[in-house]
Amino acid sequence: MSVSVPLSVLDLVRFDPTAEGPAEAIARSVRLAQTADRLGYRRLWFAEHHNAASIASSATSVLIEHVASQTERIRVGAGGIMLPTHSPLVIAEQFGMLASLHPDRIDLGLGRAPGTDQTTMRALRRTGRESDNFPSDVVELHGFLSDQSRIPGVAAHPGQGTKVPLYILGSSLFGARLAAQLGLPYSFASHFAPAMLQQAAQEYREGFDPNGPLAPADAKPWFIAAANVIVADDEGDAADQRHRAEARWLRDFLSRGGSNPSDADIAAARQHPQGQQLLSMLECTFSGTGQQVVAGLDGFAQQVQADELIVVNMAITEEQKQHTLELLAPQQQ
């Protein structure tokens, strides 16, 4: 039994800053990437976050290069670059460089959110209004990566002519409608924001314009849905890992502002309406044995008519993360 659509991986490069540093987290992500590469996953994406003490993917393009240089087949890219925090030209140059170093292996997913808080935005020299320019910035970026720059006399070197494939990311109807209008693939962040998934998928497919201004030749809608996964040899182990992953999720939120919640605080949060609301963000989570998770993901893909699934590996230890990839592997099902 196998998932009926291509399977990819979103790696958040999470780590516990009280127990290890970013170097260890990145080395672990490289090993997991090599496993995903060997087992036949389609692509591996990293997300841009800033001022997040437990996430080591802030310099996303640098991390993509590091991982791509140590893998062979799997596509590596951004899921995504938060375009309002950058100029389109700089991103075109960075991903043009990546595409020149790793031809036909680089993806560029683009998000409209700042990927951080208001204070950090100011440190990034951003006002928060840059997201208003997202649609035009996507078009400008596409021009830099194609053969026709939208700005006369300005070209991305490298970048021009690389035609790095663009994906619009989002967790609302805005991204779905924009991707459909432009004729681009769309990836929905249902791994943490599932509320609008069904409607976004429907509006994207119904509104998709194969002749959109950025649509490639013979363009068809391509919808990617995200889900969290934990796969183990038995249900009990998977349930235990899921319980611990949920506790870590709650701890991340309760720790904001410098607090240090105890295990008792986490247990109490599970029973509190606010804690239950936080856990509802993980609605699109599939845990269990390989057969159970494959069946769950297959049903999920059919429900939202996904062309591809991208999974977040929520297993706890590196050994368990490796085992999740192995039990879910496209080549071994």
Side-chain angles (χ1 to χ4, degrees), residues 11-14 22-23 25-30 33 44-48 55-71 76-78 95 98 102 106:
D11 186 353
L12 302 178
V13 201
R14 287 187 175 274
I26 292 167
R28 178 169 57 247
S29 285
V30 169
L44 172 63
W45 282 359
F46 299 99
E48 177 186 353
I55 297 178
S57 57
S58 55
T60 315
S61 59
V62 178
L63 182 60
I64 290 170
E65 158 55 24
H66 182 62
V67 172
S69 68
Q70 298 187 68
T71 51
V76 188
F95 279 79
L98 289 168
H102 308 284
I106 302 300

PDB file of all heavy atoms in Angstrom, residues 11-14 22-23 25-30 33 44-48 55-71 76-78 95 98 102 106:
ATOM      1  N   ASP A  11      11.237  20.423   6.291  1.00  0.00           N
ATOM      2  CA  ASP A  11      12.081  20.315   7.485  1.00  0.00           C
ATOM      3  C   ASP A  11      12.197  21.689   8.136  1.00  0.00           C
ATOM      4  O   ASP A  11      12.718  22.631   7.522  1.00  0.00           O
ATOM      5  CB  ASP A  11      13.460  19.775   7.108  1.00  0.00           C
ATOM      6  CG  ASP A  11      14.335  19.501   8.322  1.00  0.00           C
ATOM      7  OD1 ASP A  11      13.936  19.855   9.453  1.00  0.00           O
ATOM      8  OD2 ASP A  11      15.424  18.932   8.140  1.00  0.00           O
ATOM      9  N   LEU A  12      11.728  21.827   9.369  1.00  0.00           N
ATOM     10  CA  LEU A  12      11.796  23.092  10.087  1.00  0.00           C
ATOM     11  C   LEU A  12      13.106  23.267  10.842  1.00  0.00           C
ATOM     12  O   LEU A  12      13.344  24.318  11.446  1.00  0.00           O
ATOM     13  CB  LEU A  12      10.615  23.209  11.051  1.00  0.00           C
ATOM     14  CG  LEU A  12       9.231  23.115  10.410  1.00  0.00           C
ATOM     15  CD1 LEU A  12       8.133  23.193  11.462  1.00  0.00           C
ATOM     16  CD2 LEU A  12       9.046  24.201   9.362  1.00  0.00           C
ATOM     17  N   VAL A  13      13.976  22.242  10.823  1.00  0.00           N
ATOM     18  CA  VAL A  13      15.278  22.281  11.500  1.00  0.00           C
ATOM     19  C   VAL A  13      15.103  22.751  12.951  1.00  0.00           C
ATOM     20  O   VAL A  13      15.780  23.649  13.429  1.00  0.00           O
ATOM     21  CB  VAL A  13      16.295  23.165  10.745  1.00  0.00           C
ATOM     22  CG1 VAL A  13      17.729  22.798  11.143  1.00  0.00           C
ATOM     23  CG2 VAL A  13      16.149  23.045   9.239  1.00  0.00           C
ATOM     24  N   ARG A  14      14.198  22.102  13.643  1.00  0.00           N
ATOM     25  CA  ARG A  14      13.944  22.423  15.042  1.00  0.00           C
ATOM     26  C   ARG A  14      15.017  21.826  15.946  1.00  0.00           C
ATOM     27  O   ARG A  14      15.584  20.768  15.636  1.00  0.00           O
ATOM     28  CB  ARG A  14      12.581  21.886  15.482  1.00  0.00           C
ATOM     29  CG  ARG A  14      11.398  22.663  14.917  1.00  0.00           C
ATOM     30  CD  ARG A  14      10.103  22.163  15.533  1.00  0.00           C
ATOM     31  NE  ARG A  14       8.959  22.946  15.113  1.00  0.00           N
ATOM     32  CZ  ARG A  14       8.562  24.052  15.689  1.00  0.00           C
ATOM     33  NH1 ARG A  14       9.220  24.524  16.740  1.00  0.00           N
ATOM     34  NH2 ARG A  14       7.507  24.714  15.253  1.00  0.00           N
ATOM     35  N   PRO A  22      22.709  25.121  16.879  1.00  0.00           N
ATOM     36  CA  PRO A  22      22.241  25.006  15.496  1.00  0.00           C
ATOM     37  C   PRO A  22      23.106  24.087  14.646  1.00  0.00           C
ATOM     38  O   PRO A  22      22.592  23.456  13.719  1.00  0.00           O
ATOM     39  CB  PRO A  22      22.264  26.444  14.989  1.00  0.00           C
ATOM     40  CG  PRO A  22      23.121  27.204  15.946  1.00  0.00           C
ATOM     41  CD  PRO A  22      23.003  26.517  17.256  1.00  0.00           C
ATOM     42  N   ALA A  23      24.395  23.985  14.934  1.00  0.00           N
ATOM     43  CA  ALA A  23      25.264  23.121  14.130  1.00  0.00           C
ATOM     44  C   ALA A  23      24.808  21.667  14.209  1.00  0.00           C
ATOM     45  O   ALA A  23      24.771  20.953  13.193  1.00  0.00           O
ATOM     46  CB  ALA A  23      26.717  23.248  14.581  1.00  0.00           C
ATOM     47  N   ALA A  25      21.757  20.660  14.930  1.00  0.00           N
ATOM     48  CA  ALA A  25      20.466  20.557  14.259  1.00  0.00           C
ATOM     49  C   ALA A  25      20.631  20.474  12.740  1.00  0.00           C
ATOM     50  O   ALA A  25      19.962  19.692  12.067  1.00  0.00           O
ATOM     51  CB  ALA A  25      19.592  21.748  14.632  1.00  0.00           C
ATOM     52  N   ILE A  26      21.529  21.290  12.210  1.00  0.00           N
ATOM     53  CA  ILE A  26      21.754  21.290  10.763  1.00  0.00           C
ATOM     54  C   ILE A  26      22.375  19.969  10.317  1.00  0.00           C
ATOM     55  O   ILE A  26      21.997  19.402   9.281  1.00  0.00           O
ATOM     56  CB  ILE A  26      22.633  22.490  10.368  1.00  0.00           C
ATOM     57  CG1 ILE A  26      21.845  23.797  10.579  1.00  0.00           C
ATOM     58  CG2 ILE A  26      23.089  22.383   8.915  1.00  0.00           C
ATOM     59  CD1 ILE A  26      22.692  25.041  10.521  1.00  0.00           C
ATOM     60  N   ALA A  27      23.329  19.445  11.092  1.00  0.00           N
ATOM     61  CA  ALA A  27      23.932  18.149  10.754  1.00  0.00           C
ATOM     62  C   ALA A  27      22.878  17.047  10.752  1.00  0.00           C
ATOM     63  O   ALA A  27      22.887  16.161   9.885  1.00  0.00           O
ATOM     64  CB  ALA A  27      25.049  17.821  11.737  1.00  0.00           C
ATOM     65  N   ARG A  28      21.951  17.102  11.700  1.00  0.00           N
ATOM     66  CA  ARG A  28      20.867  16.119  11.740  1.00  0.00           C
ATOM     67  C   ARG A  28      19.977  16.254  10.508  1.00  0.00           C
ATOM     68  O   ARG A  28      19.579  15.248   9.895  1.00  0.00           O
ATOM     69  CB  ARG A  28      20.051  16.304  13.019  1.00  0.00           C
ATOM     70  CG  ARG A  28      18.865  15.349  13.142  1.00  0.00           C
ATOM     71  CD  ARG A  28      18.248  15.394  14.533  1.00  0.00           C
ATOM     72  NE  ARG A  28      17.814  16.735  14.910  1.00  0.00           N
ATOM     73  CZ  ARG A  28      18.371  17.449  15.873  1.00  0.00           C
ATOM     74  NH1 ARG A  28      19.398  16.971  16.557  1.00  0.00           N
ATOM     75  NH2 ARG A  28      17.907  18.655  16.160  1.00  0.00           N
ATOM     76  N   SER A  29      19.681  17.493  10.113  1.00  0.00           N
ATOM     77  CA  SER A  29      18.855  17.709   8.928  1.00  0.00           C
ATOM     78  C   SER A  29      19.539  17.189   7.668  1.00  0.00           C
ATOM     79  O   SER A  29      18.867  16.687   6.756  1.00  0.00           O
ATOM     80  CB  SER A  29      18.523  19.201   8.780  1.00  0.00           C
ATOM     81  OG  SER A  29      17.546  19.590   9.715  1.00  0.00           O
ATOM     82  N   VAL A  30      20.850  17.319   7.597  1.00  0.00           N
ATOM     83  CA  VAL A  30      21.580  16.773   6.451  1.00  0.00           C
ATOM     84  C   VAL A  30      21.424  15.256   6.399  1.00  0.00           C
ATOM     85  O   VAL A  30      21.161  14.677   5.331  1.00  0.00           O
ATOM     86  CB  VAL A  30      23.064  17.169   6.507  1.00  0.00           C
ATOM     87  CG1 VAL A  30      23.867  16.384   5.464  1.00  0.00           C
ATOM     88  CG2 VAL A  30      23.228  18.667   6.270  1.00  0.00           C
ATOM     89  N   ALA A  33      18.020  14.466   5.274  1.00  0.00           N
ATOM     90  CA  ALA A  33      17.901  14.772   3.847  1.00  0.00           C
ATOM     91  C   ALA A  33      18.500  13.651   3.004  1.00  0.00           C
ATOM     92  O   ALA A  33      17.945  13.276   1.962  1.00  0.00           O
ATOM     93  CB  ALA A  33      18.603  16.091   3.539  1.00  0.00           C
ATOM     94  N   LEU A  44      12.539  18.420  -0.851  1.00  0.00           N
ATOM     95  CA  LEU A  44      12.800  18.764   0.538  1.00  0.00           C
ATOM     96  C   LEU A  44      12.861  20.281   0.643  1.00  0.00           C
ATOM     97  O   LEU A  44      13.691  20.916  -0.014  1.00  0.00           O
ATOM     98  CB  LEU A  44      14.134  18.150   0.997  1.00  0.00           C
ATOM     99  CG  LEU A  44      14.651  18.559   2.373  1.00  0.00           C
ATOM    100  CD1 LEU A  44      13.707  18.113   3.475  1.00  0.00           C
ATOM    101  CD2 LEU A  44      16.043  17.970   2.607  1.00  0.00           C
ATOM    102  N   TRP A  45      11.982  20.844   1.457  1.00  0.00           N
ATOM    103  CA  TRP A  45      11.905  22.295   1.582  1.00  0.00           C
ATOM    104  C   TRP A  45      12.267  22.746   2.989  1.00  0.00           C
ATOM    105  O   TRP A  45      12.018  22.029   3.969  1.00  0.00           O
ATOM    106  CB  TRP A  45      10.486  22.784   1.265  1.00  0.00           C
ATOM    107  CG  TRP A  45      10.178  22.838  -0.206  1.00  0.00           C
ATOM    108  CD1 TRP A  45      11.006  22.525  -1.245  1.00  0.00           C
ATOM    109  CD2 TRP A  45       8.935  23.233  -0.795  1.00  0.00           C
ATOM    110  NE1 TRP A  45      10.361  22.716  -2.446  1.00  0.00           N
ATOM    111  CE2 TRP A  45       9.090  23.142  -2.195  1.00  0.00           C
ATOM    112  CE3 TRP A  45       7.721  23.654  -0.281  1.00  0.00           C
ATOM    113  CZ2 TRP A  45       8.063  23.461  -3.081  1.00  0.00           C
ATOM    114  CZ3 TRP A  45       6.693  23.962  -1.155  1.00  0.00           C
ATOM    115  CH2 TRP A  45       6.856  23.875  -2.553  1.00  0.00           C
ATOM    116  N   PHE A  46      12.826  23.965   3.068  1.00  0.00           N
ATOM    117  CA  PHE A  46      13.132  24.609   4.339  1.00  0.00           C
ATOM    118  C   PHE A  46      12.406  25.951   4.381  1.00  0.00           C
ATOM    119  O   PHE A  46      12.227  26.605   3.357  1.00  0.00           O
ATOM    120  CB  PHE A  46      14.647  24.828   4.486  1.00  0.00           C
ATOM    121  CG  PHE A  46      15.434  23.547   4.471  1.00  0.00           C
ATOM    122  CD1 PHE A  46      16.061  23.110   3.307  1.00  0.00           C
ATOM    123  CD2 PHE A  46      15.537  22.771   5.607  1.00  0.00           C
ATOM    124  CE1 PHE A  46      16.776  21.932   3.281  1.00  0.00           C
ATOM    125  CE2 PHE A  46      16.253  21.582   5.601  1.00  0.00           C
ATOM    126  CZ  PHE A  46      16.871  21.160   4.435  1.00  0.00           C
ATOM    127  N   ALA A  47      12.014  26.370   5.596  1.00  0.00           N
ATOM    128  CA  ALA A  47      11.225  27.586   5.746  1.00  0.00           C
ATOM    129  C   ALA A  47      12.033  28.682   6.422  1.00  0.00           C
ATOM    130  O   ALA A  47      12.838  28.431   7.311  1.00  0.00           O
ATOM    131  CB  ALA A  47       9.968  27.292   6.565  1.00  0.00           C
ATOM    132  N   GLU A  48      11.780  29.908   5.982  1.00  0.00           N
ATOM    133  CA  GLU A  48      12.450  31.080   6.553  1.00  0.00           C
ATOM    134  C   GLU A  48      11.730  31.546   7.820  1.00  0.00           C
ATOM    135  O   GLU A  48      10.547  31.865   7.794  1.00  0.00           O
ATOM    136  CB  GLU A  48      12.468  32.216   5.529  1.00  0.00           C
ATOM    137  CG  GLU A  48      13.079  33.503   6.057  1.00  0.00           C
ATOM    138  CD  GLU A  48      12.947  34.656   5.079  1.00  0.00           C
ATOM    139  OE1 GLU A  48      12.500  34.431   3.929  1.00  0.00           O
ATOM    140  OE2 GLU A  48      13.291  35.785   5.461  1.00  0.00           O
ATOM    141  N   ILE A  55      14.628  27.250  15.906  1.00  0.00           N
ATOM    142  CA  ILE A  55      14.593  26.930  14.476  1.00  0.00           C
ATOM    143  C   ILE A  55      15.856  27.461  13.818  1.00  0.00           C
ATOM    144  O   ILE A  55      16.193  28.636  13.971  1.00  0.00           O
ATOM    145  CB  ILE A  55      13.345  27.526  13.801  1.00  0.00           C
ATOM    146  CG1 ILE A  55      12.078  26.911  14.409  1.00  0.00           C
ATOM    147  CG2 ILE A  55      13.376  27.294  12.300  1.00  0.00           C
ATOM    148  CD1 ILE A  55      10.794  27.460  13.850  1.00  0.00           C
ATOM    149  N   ALA A  56      16.551  26.603  13.065  1.00  0.00           N
ATOM    150  CA  ALA A  56      17.874  26.962  12.521  1.00  0.00           C
ATOM    151  C   ALA A  56      17.857  27.164  11.016  1.00  0.00           C
ATOM    152  O   ALA A  56      18.837  26.866  10.337  1.00  0.00           O
ATOM    153  CB  ALA A  56      18.896  25.886  12.889  1.00  0.00           C
ATOM    154  N   SER A  57      16.747  27.675  10.464  1.00  0.00           N
ATOM    155  CA  SER A  57      16.652  27.809   9.008  1.00  0.00           C
ATOM    156  C   SER A  57      16.486  29.254   8.565  1.00  0.00           C
ATOM    157  O   SER A  57      15.953  29.500   7.486  1.00  0.00           O
ATOM    158  CB  SER A  57      15.490  26.966   8.474  1.00  0.00           C
ATOM    159  OG  SER A  57      14.272  27.336   9.099  1.00  0.00           O
ATOM    160  N   SER A  58      16.952  30.210   9.363  1.00  0.00           N
ATOM    161  CA  SER A  58      16.735  31.618   9.027  1.00  0.00           C
ATOM    162  C   SER A  58      17.441  32.022   7.737  1.00  0.00           C
ATOM    163  O   SER A  58      16.885  32.741   6.913  1.00  0.00           O
ATOM    164  CB  SER A  58      17.196  32.513  10.184  1.00  0.00           C
ATOM    165  OG  SER A  58      18.539  32.242  10.523  1.00  0.00           O
ATOM    166  N   ALA A  59      18.694  31.572   7.549  1.00  0.00           N
ATOM    167  CA  ALA A  59      19.433  31.860   6.309  1.00  0.00           C
ATOM    168  C   ALA A  59      19.112  30.757   5.311  1.00  0.00           C
ATOM    169  O   ALA A  59      19.941  29.898   5.000  1.00  0.00           O
ATOM    170  CB  ALA A  59      20.925  31.953   6.588  1.00  0.00           C
ATOM    171  N   THR A  60      17.901  30.796   4.789  1.00  0.00           N
ATOM    172  CA  THR A  60      17.339  29.649   4.065  1.00  0.00           C
ATOM    173  C   THR A  60      18.136  29.271   2.829  1.00  0.00           C
ATOM    174  O   THR A  60      18.387  28.081   2.583  1.00  0.00           O
ATOM    175  CB  THR A  60      15.880  29.956   3.684  1.00  0.00           C
ATOM    176  OG1 THR A  60      15.219  30.534   4.815  1.00  0.00           O
ATOM    177  CG2 THR A  60      15.154  28.700   3.262  1.00  0.00           C
ATOM    178  N   SER A  61      18.550  30.233   2.031  1.00  0.00           N
ATOM    179  CA  SER A  61      19.277  29.912   0.798  1.00  0.00           C
ATOM    180  C   SER A  61      20.633  29.287   1.104  1.00  0.00           C
ATOM    181  O   SER A  61      21.103  28.406   0.360  1.00  0.00           O
ATOM    182  CB  SER A  61      19.443  31.167  -0.060  1.00  0.00           C
ATOM    183  OG  SER A  61      20.148  32.169   0.642  1.00  0.00           O
ATOM    184  N   VAL A  62      21.269  29.706   2.195  1.00  0.00           N
ATOM    185  CA  VAL A  62      22.553  29.100   2.587  1.00  0.00           C
ATOM    186  C   VAL A  62      22.336  27.643   2.977  1.00  0.00           C
ATOM    187  O   VAL A  62      23.111  26.754   2.593  1.00  0.00           O
ATOM    188  CB  VAL A  62      23.194  29.886   3.749  1.00  0.00           C
ATOM    189  CG1 VAL A  62      24.499  29.229   4.188  1.00  0.00           C
ATOM    190  CG2 VAL A  62      23.453  31.330   3.346  1.00  0.00           C
ATOM    191  N   LEU A  63      21.272  27.378   3.734  1.00  0.00           N
ATOM    192  CA  LEU A  63      20.963  26.016   4.149  1.00  0.00           C
ATOM    193  C   LEU A  63      20.625  25.136   2.949  1.00  0.00           C
ATOM    194  O   LEU A  63      21.034  23.966   2.881  1.00  0.00           O
ATOM    195  CB  LEU A  63      19.798  26.039   5.140  1.00  0.00           C
ATOM    196  CG  LEU A  63      19.365  24.701   5.721  1.00  0.00           C
ATOM    197  CD1 LEU A  63      20.505  24.029   6.472  1.00  0.00           C
ATOM    198  CD2 LEU A  63      18.155  24.889   6.640  1.00  0.00           C
ATOM    199  N   ILE A  64      19.887  25.683   1.995  1.00  0.00           N
ATOM    200  CA  ILE A  64      19.548  24.916   0.784  1.00  0.00           C
ATOM    201  C   ILE A  64      20.817  24.489   0.058  1.00  0.00           C
ATOM    202  O   ILE A  64      20.941  23.341  -0.379  1.00  0.00           O
ATOM    203  CB  ILE A  64      18.637  25.752  -0.129  1.00  0.00           C
ATOM    204  CG1 ILE A  64      17.258  25.907   0.514  1.00  0.00           C
ATOM    205  CG2 ILE A  64      18.514  25.120  -1.516  1.00  0.00           C
ATOM    206  CD1 ILE A  64      16.367  26.912  -0.179  1.00  0.00           C
ATOM    207  N   GLU A  65      21.772  25.396  -0.090  1.00  0.00           N
ATOM    208  CA  GLU A  65      23.029  25.052  -0.755  1.00  0.00           C
ATOM    209  C   GLU A  65      23.752  23.943   0.006  1.00  0.00           C
ATOM    210  O   GLU A  65      24.261  22.992  -0.589  1.00  0.00           O
ATOM    211  CB  GLU A  65      23.918  26.289  -0.876  1.00  0.00           C
ATOM    212  CG  GLU A  65      25.403  26.027  -1.060  1.00  0.00           C
ATOM    213  CD  GLU A  65      25.716  25.125  -2.247  1.00  0.00           C
ATOM    214  OE1 GLU A  65      24.910  25.043  -3.198  1.00  0.00           O
ATOM    215  OE2 GLU A  65      26.786  24.488  -2.219  1.00  0.00           O
ATOM    216  N   HIS A  66      23.802  24.067   1.326  1.00  0.00           N
ATOM    217  CA  HIS A  66      24.507  23.079   2.144  1.00  0.00           C
ATOM    218  C   HIS A  66      23.902  21.689   1.959  1.00  0.00           C
ATOM    219  O   HIS A  66      24.634  20.702   1.793  1.00  0.00           O
ATOM    220  CB  HIS A  66      24.437  23.505   3.614  1.00  0.00           C
ATOM    221  CG  HIS A  66      25.156  22.610   4.560  1.00  0.00           C
ATOM    222  ND1 HIS A  66      26.519  22.389   4.495  1.00  0.00           N
ATOM    223  CD2 HIS A  66      24.710  21.847   5.600  1.00  0.00           C
ATOM    224  CE1 HIS A  66      26.883  21.556   5.451  1.00  0.00           C
ATOM    225  NE2 HIS A  66      25.797  21.212   6.133  1.00  0.00           N
ATOM    226  N   VAL A  67      22.578  21.612   1.977  1.00  0.00           N
ATOM    227  CA  VAL A  67      21.904  20.316   1.853  1.00  0.00           C
ATOM    228  C   VAL A  67      21.969  19.797   0.423  1.00  0.00           C
ATOM    229  O   VAL A  67      22.206  18.606   0.180  1.00  0.00           O
ATOM    230  CB  VAL A  67      20.457  20.422   2.352  1.00  0.00           C
ATOM    231  CG1 VAL A  67      19.685  19.137   2.057  1.00  0.00           C
ATOM    232  CG2 VAL A  67      20.430  20.717   3.852  1.00  0.00           C
ATOM    233  N   ALA A  68      21.764  20.668  -0.552  1.00  0.00           N
ATOM    234  CA  ALA A  68      21.811  20.229  -1.948  1.00  0.00           C
ATOM    235  C   ALA A  68      23.181  19.667  -2.311  1.00  0.00           C
ATOM    236  O   ALA A  68      23.288  18.721  -3.096  1.00  0.00           O
ATOM    237  CB  ALA A  68      21.450  21.394  -2.870  1.00  0.00           C
ATOM    238  N   SER A  69      24.241  20.241  -1.728  1.00  0.00           N
ATOM    239  CA  SER A  69      25.594  19.780  -2.045  1.00  0.00           C
ATOM    240  C   SER A  69      25.888  18.409  -1.440  1.00  0.00           C
ATOM    241  O   SER A  69      26.859  17.765  -1.829  1.00  0.00           O
ATOM    242  CB  SER A  69      26.632  20.797  -1.546  1.00  0.00           C
ATOM    243  OG  SER A  69      26.653  20.840  -0.130  1.00  0.00           O
ATOM    244  N   GLN A  70      25.042  17.968  -0.487  1.00  0.00           N
ATOM    245  CA  GLN A  70      25.288  16.687   0.170  1.00  0.00           C
ATOM    246  C   GLN A  70      24.197  15.656  -0.124  1.00  0.00           C
ATOM    247  O   GLN A  70      24.094  14.630   0.545  1.00  0.00           O
ATOM    248  CB  GLN A  70      25.423  16.900   1.680  1.00  0.00           C
ATOM    249  CG  GLN A  70      26.613  17.803   2.029  1.00  0.00           C
ATOM    250  CD  GLN A  70      26.868  17.886   3.509  1.00  0.00           C
ATOM    251  OE1 GLN A  70      27.266  16.916   4.155  1.00  0.00           O
ATOM    252  NE2 GLN A  70      26.632  19.059   4.070  1.00  0.00           N
ATOM    253  N   THR A  71      23.386  15.955  -1.133  1.00  0.00           N
ATOM    254  CA  THR A  71      22.402  15.008  -1.633  1.00  0.00           C
ATOM    255  C   THR A  71      22.586  14.901  -3.146  1.00  0.00           C
ATOM    256  O   THR A  71      23.326  15.674  -3.746  1.00  0.00           O
ATOM    257  CB  THR A  71      20.967  15.462  -1.289  1.00  0.00           C
ATOM    258  OG1 THR A  71      20.791  16.833  -1.700  1.00  0.00           O
ATOM    259  CG2 THR A  71      20.708  15.345   0.208  1.00  0.00           C
ATOM    260  N   VAL A  76      15.590  20.391  -3.785  1.00  0.00           N
ATOM    261  CA  VAL A  76      15.772  21.115  -2.526  1.00  0.00           C
ATOM    262  C   VAL A  76      15.332  22.560  -2.741  1.00  0.00           C
ATOM    263  O   VAL A  76      15.655  23.164  -3.772  1.00  0.00           O
ATOM    264  CB  VAL A  76      17.242  21.069  -2.057  1.00  0.00           C
ATOM    265  CG1 VAL A  76      17.373  21.658  -0.654  1.00  0.00           C
ATOM    266  CG2 VAL A  76      17.773  19.635  -2.070  1.00  0.00           C
ATOM    267  N   GLY A  77      14.603  23.098  -1.790  1.00  0.00           N
ATOM    268  CA  GLY A  77      14.128  24.457  -2.008  1.00  0.00           C
ATOM    269  C   GLY A  77      13.569  25.098  -0.766  1.00  0.00           C
ATOM    270  O   GLY A  77      13.739  24.615   0.353  1.00  0.00           O
ATOM    271  N   ALA A  78      12.869  26.198  -0.975  1.00  0.00           N
ATOM    272  CA  ALA A  78      12.324  27.012   0.101  1.00  0.00           C
ATOM    273  C   ALA A  78      10.822  26.805   0.198  1.00  0.00           C
ATOM    274  O   ALA A  78      10.114  26.914  -0.788  1.00  0.00           O
ATOM    275  CB  ALA A  78      12.619  28.493  -0.144  1.00  0.00           C
ATOM    276  N   PHE A  95      18.801  32.461  -5.723  1.00  0.00           N
ATOM    277  CA  PHE A  95      18.288  31.207  -6.271  1.00  0.00           C
ATOM    278  C   PHE A  95      18.803  30.960  -7.685  1.00  0.00           C
ATOM    279  O   PHE A  95      18.867  29.812  -8.134  1.00  0.00           O
ATOM    280  CB  PHE A  95      16.765  31.180  -6.175  1.00  0.00           C
ATOM    281  CG  PHE A  95      16.303  30.777  -4.804  1.00  0.00           C
ATOM    282  CD1 PHE A  95      16.315  31.696  -3.762  1.00  0.00           C
ATOM    283  CD2 PHE A  95      15.920  29.485  -4.538  1.00  0.00           C
ATOM    284  CE1 PHE A  95      15.943  31.321  -2.482  1.00  0.00           C
ATOM    285  CE2 PHE A  95      15.536  29.095  -3.269  1.00  0.00           C
ATOM    286  CZ  PHE A  95      15.560  30.022  -2.235  1.00  0.00           C
ATOM    287  N   LEU A  98      21.916  29.168  -6.796  1.00  0.00           N
ATOM    288  CA  LEU A  98      21.616  27.790  -6.419  1.00  0.00           C
ATOM    289  C   LEU A  98      21.305  26.932  -7.649  1.00  0.00           C
ATOM    290  O   LEU A  98      21.770  25.792  -7.767  1.00  0.00           O
ATOM    291  CB  LEU A  98      20.425  27.768  -5.455  1.00  0.00           C
ATOM    292  CG  LEU A  98      20.695  28.300  -4.048  1.00  0.00           C
ATOM    293  CD1 LEU A  98      19.385  28.506  -3.288  1.00  0.00           C
ATOM    294  CD2 LEU A  98      21.605  27.350  -3.280  1.00  0.00           C
ATOM    295  N   HIS A 102      23.195  23.653  -8.886  1.00  0.00           N
ATOM    296  CA  HIS A 102      22.443  22.394  -8.813  1.00  0.00           C
ATOM    297  C   HIS A 102      21.308  22.424  -9.843  1.00  0.00           C
ATOM    298  O   HIS A 102      20.140  22.589  -9.492  1.00  0.00           O
ATOM    299  CB  HIS A 102      21.893  22.188  -7.402  1.00  0.00           C
ATOM    300  CG  HIS A 102      22.928  22.307  -6.334  1.00  0.00           C
ATOM    301  ND1 HIS A 102      23.850  21.313  -6.070  1.00  0.00           N
ATOM    302  CD2 HIS A 102      23.216  23.333  -5.478  1.00  0.00           C
ATOM    303  CE1 HIS A 102      24.646  21.707  -5.078  1.00  0.00           C
ATOM    304  NE2 HIS A 102      24.292  22.914  -4.717  1.00  0.00           N
ATOM    305  N   ILE A 106      16.338  22.850  -7.847  1.00  0.00           N
ATOM    306  CA  ILE A 106      16.019  23.923  -6.912  1.00  0.00           C
ATOM    307  C   ILE A 106      14.584  24.415  -7.107  1.00  0.00           C
ATOM    308  O   ILE A 106      14.148  24.664  -8.227  1.00  0.00           O
ATOM    309  CB  ILE A 106      17.001  25.099  -7.074  1.00  0.00           C
ATOM    310  CG1 ILE A 106      18.440  24.630  -6.849  1.00  0.00           C
ATOM    311  CG2 ILE A 106      16.646  26.225  -6.106  1.00  0.00           C
ATOM    312  CD1 ILE A 106      18.714  24.047  -5.468  1.00  0.00           C
TER     313      ILE A 106
END
